[in-house]
Amino acid sequence: MQDGPLAGLRVLDVSTILAGPLCAQILGDFGADVLKIEHAVKVDGMRGHGKSKDGHALWWKEVSRNKRTIGLTLSEPEGAEILLRLAETADVLVENFRPGTFERWGLGPERLHEVNPRLVIVRVTGFGQTGPYAARAGFGTLAEAMSGFAHLTGDPAGPPTLPAFGLADSVCGIAASSAVMMALYHRERSGAGQVIDMSLLAPLMTAVGPSPTVYQQLGVVEHRHGNRSTNNAPRNTYETSDGYWLAISTSAQAIAERVMHLIGRPDLIEEPWFATGRGRVEHVELLDELVGGWIGARTRDEAVTAFTEAGAAVAPVYTAKDLVEDPHVRETGMLTEVPDPDLGPLLQHDVMWRMSETPGRIRFTGRSHGADTDAVLTDELGLTADEVAALRERKIVT
């Protein structure tokens, strides 16, 4: 089986928690040889994030899949020297330490490019490498707050709402994988690597939408509207007679008209205000009452079937259990079982996109701390077993 379009690419994942590791995971999913470098003593915090079974962190098993692992203390000169030797043959290095940390260890971009001018260096931080906030501790929660996401999310009468998952980190990790491919494409033409300055804040600001433009042009600060949209209506979640919730959207005019036909109110289509999403938003109370009443009188299956037959957009609000049992998710392989040496068959998200000629795959799940240290140091760098043992005794490797 092919390992994907990035087979032969070598990636050093020197990042922790989620954004940087997710970027490296995506590259590994599509064939890159990813070497995960953790501190020799203080393991990646992702090993302690989320649920675990029998002492094995389930999230770690996914975000660190397709990665060999070594333990290496970069703050010690010998550890930094080992990383430089590994960087000589690498294509990409991903790190997410605070600005100045790599430089303090003698591992700044200038030094890395001395040993490998073709290296693409991804530097993930909360706020970027420059600017007044560069030195601040950066976590996804802060980006979710500052990007406008929290301000626009939640009930209008309630507090700003943060996501229950790593939204900013995930958006950043996916964006960073795209940036890596752009840098590699540039390298093919120029022969030179470069530094990618990747913040958690900027990608999520883009995802939140044009609120800064709206403010700059109109002086309008947008606010929370719950599950409603300021762009179209009806758009909300509605409870069914059997206690489930459905989400609908009418971003397209034709869909909005189909919904009105479905609920028995085609007369509203002739109203002048119905012709645009903005006009429908001005009558959202009426539309929500009508749609909510129609859905509330039917079970989930009845409502979904009717919407589907009418060509209108609808989706049930799923739990994880619903996702696992959904026939479309199962048949298309969005979730897949992979063998794990600790937990047996392990259900994970499959690779994010399908490629007809060079598909990616999950070769193995996240490994134990330092599982590949000996092999990497002896087979790839030529250290002797005694040299590795001496480094391990001093906690430079594990």
Side-chain angles (χ1 to χ4, degrees):
M1 181 182 294
Q2 293 186 53
D3 280 342
L6 302 183
L9 195 76
R10 185 173 172 85
V11 178
L12 303 180
D13 178 8
V14 201
S15 59
T16 60
I17 305 296
L18 185 54
L22 178 57
C23 170
Q25 178 212 308
I26 294 169
L27 301 178
D29 284 352
F30 287 92
D33 172 24
V34 181
L35 185 59
K36 171 73 178 181
I37 298 172
E38 294 179 81
H39 192 280
V41 179
K42 297 175 285 188
V43 299
D44 189 331
M46 279 300 288
R47 291 187 183 272
H49 270 48
K51 303 291 186 182
S52 65
K53 181 181 179 182
D54 299 333
H56 301 287
L58 300 179
W59 202 352
W60 172 265
K61 290 286 188 181
E62 178 164 323
V63 79
S64 292
R65 69 192 189 195
N66 293 332
K67 301 177 185 180
R68 297 181 295 151
T69 65
I70 73 170
L72 186 61
T73 301
L74 299 178
S75 57
E76 294 291 338
E78 295 94 330
E81 182 60 31
I82 289 174
L83 183 66
L84 288 172
R85 292 183 62 185
L86 292 170
E88 289 177 4
T89 57
D91 298 286
V92 180
L93 182 148
V94 184
E95 65 97 355
N96 70 337
F97 293 92
R98 286 201 201 186
T101 302
F102 250 41
E103 285 80 356
R104 189 168 67 250
W105 295 338
L107 296 170
E110 295 80 7
R111 181 70 182 111
L112 288 166
H113 280 151
E114 282 181 12
V115 301
N116 184 355
R118 291 172 54 82
L119 185 67
V120 172
I121 303 168
V122 185
R123 314 196 77 178
V124 180
T125 57
F127 305 102
Q129 295 292 317
T130 60
Y133 303 155
R136 290 186 181 182
F139 294 98
T141 298
L142 310 187
E144 290 147 10
M146 292 180 64
S147 65
F149 174 86
H151 173 73
L152 292 173
T153 304
D155 189 277
T161 301
L162 296 166
F165 56 95
L167 176 64
D169 280 86
S170 298
V171 172
C172 179
I174 296 168
S177 70
S178 177
V180 167
M181 301 316 300
M182 294 181 193
L184 291 173
Y185 181 71
H186 171 264
R187 189 183 72 173
E188 287 302 304
R189 295 181 296 169
S190 69
Q194 61 181 292
V195 179
I196 299 170
D197 184 357
M198 197 82 209
S199 76
L200 295 175
L201 182 57
L204 192 57
M205 286 174 58
T206 299
V208 168
S211 294
T213 305
V214 171
Y215 173 72
Q216 186 258 344
Q217 289 292 310
L218 302 175
V220 173
V221 175
E222 298 179 291
H223 296 285
R224 291 185 291 287
H225 296 274
N227 290 320
R228 290 174 172 171
S229 170
T230 59
N231 301 313
N232 67 85
R235 189 267 198 179
N236 212 327
T237 57
Y238 307 90
E239 190 173 11
T240 63
S241 63
D242 52 350
Y244 293 98
W245 290 86
L246 300 181
I248 76 166
S249 175
T250 57
S251 296
Q253 182 68 23
I255 299 296
E257 294 176 5
R258 291 171 192 170
V259 172
M260 293 302 103
H261 280 288
L262 176 63
I263 67 172
R265 291 303 305 269
D267 56 297
L268 294 179
I269 298 172
E270 305 304 320
E271 295 288 342
W273 53 263
F274 197 88
T276 66
R278 287 189 299 273
R280 296 196 303 277
V281 168
E282 294 173 359
H283 295 78
V284 65
E285 297 291 346
L286 170 64
L287 294 172
D288 267 353
E289 180 181 355
L290 294 172
V291 174
W294 188 92
I295 290 176
R298 290 160 176 81
T299 66
R300 178 176 68 173
D301 289 346
E302 290 171 342
V304 169
T305 297
F307 264 75
T308 302
E309 291 176 349
V314 67
V317 176
Y318 271 178
T319 64
K321 178 178 182 292
D322 296 321
L323 268 177
V324 170
E325 296 175 351
D326 182 83
H328 181 82
V329 171
R330 289 202 312 268
E331 185 174 326
T332 58
M334 294 181 186
L335 296 172
T336 186
E337 279 193 355
V338 294
D340 179 79
D342 302 308
L343 301 172
L346 184 62
L347 191 68
Q348 293 191 347
H349 300 100
D350 204 349
V351 297
M352 276 196 238
W353 48 82
R354 305 298 173 85
M355 301 182 71
S356 63
E357 303 304 319
T358 53
R361 68 185 177 104
I362 303 170
R363 301 185 295 281
F364 51 88
T365 57
R367 292 165 64 74
S368 59
H369 185 218
D372 302 285
T373 298
D374 289 274
V376 170
L377 296 186
T378 58
D379 297 347
E380 297 186 17
L381 299 187
L383 274 67
T384 67
D386 287 342
E387 288 173 324
V388 174
L391 291 169
R392 185 170 281 123
E393 177 69 23
R394 297 176 54 206
K395 294 183 170 49
I396 293 172
V397 304
T398 191

